[in-house]
Each structure stands twice: as structure tokens, then as C-alpha cells.
Amino acid sequence: YCVEFRTESLSHHCALENRPYARWMQYLREGHTVCVACQPPAMSTDTHRCAGDGHNADGGKILHWEAIGNSQCQGTWKKIRQLEHCSCPLVHSFIFT
């Protein structure tokens, strides 16, 4: 499954990232909708969910995220909805880890 979030805030460290494999961090923006896929091995074998997916969070709850590879690139987002069948666009798509 996938979860759509709206980014609420992000640290300035994201925009400073210039390593080739991590340049995607420069394109994160407040107010953008991002789509995050939950796939094995991030998915718990017991619950079949990914940690941090905001399962019981309503749309008003602020949730925290952190980028893998640069722990200083972090911020907050709000859950918009969960999609049972992923249809994430190529841009602004991520995977839970």
C-alpha cells in the first residue's frame, strides 16, 4: 500500500544536499504532496504495516519524517490518505524504510 502526505515543514539541510544519490532532497518543498510506498522489508510481518505510516492518525495530526542518508534532512507532514493500490507518480515518490 501507499500513503499520501502533505509536507508541512522541512529543515534547510535538505536544500543543501548535493551528493549525487541524494539530490532528490533538494526538491522537497513545504505544501507538496508526497506518496510513500510500504513494501517488504520495511513492512512488519506481524501487522503488515510500515512504522510511521500514520495508520491511526487523522488528517490534522502532525507526523515526523527523516531522510535516509542525511538525518539532518527532516521535517513534518500530515497524512492525506492511504491507497491500497499504489499509483504514486514518479516525482515525489518514496519508500518507507
Side-chain angles (χ1 to χ4, degrees):
Y1 67 94
C2 290
V3 184
E4 289 183 348
F5 296 95
R6 185 180 59 252
T7 55
E8 296 292 314
S9 69
L10 59 134
S11 66
H12 72 281
H13 295 282
C14 302
L16 301 176
E17 182 59 68
N18 60 10
R19 292 173 290 174
Y21 67 87
R23 283 198 182 119
W24 60 268
M25 294 177 199
Q26 295 176 359
Y27 301 102
L28 292 170
R29 297 286 183 272
E30 290 179 7
H32 278 191
T33 298
V34 297
C35 187
V36 189
C38 177
Q39 303 172 351
M43 184 182 289
S44 165
T45 54
D46 295 334
T47 64
H48 299 291
R49 305 204 67 82
C50 285
D53 69 358
H55 175 59
N56 291 320
D58 62 23
K61 185 170 184 178
I62 293 180
L63 306 167
H64 295 269
W65 59 267
E66 180 180 300
I68 294 296
N70 180 351
S71 62
Q72 293 183 317
C73 178
Q74 54 187 291
T76 59
W77 56 20
K78 290 183 180 178
K79 180 180 176 180
I80 298 171
R81 64 183 174 150
Q82 180 175 315
L83 305 168
E84 293 308 319
H85 301 287
C86 294
S87 56
C88 294
L90 292 176
V91 180
H92 305 302
S93 294
F94 304 98
I95 299 175
F96 284 106
T97 58

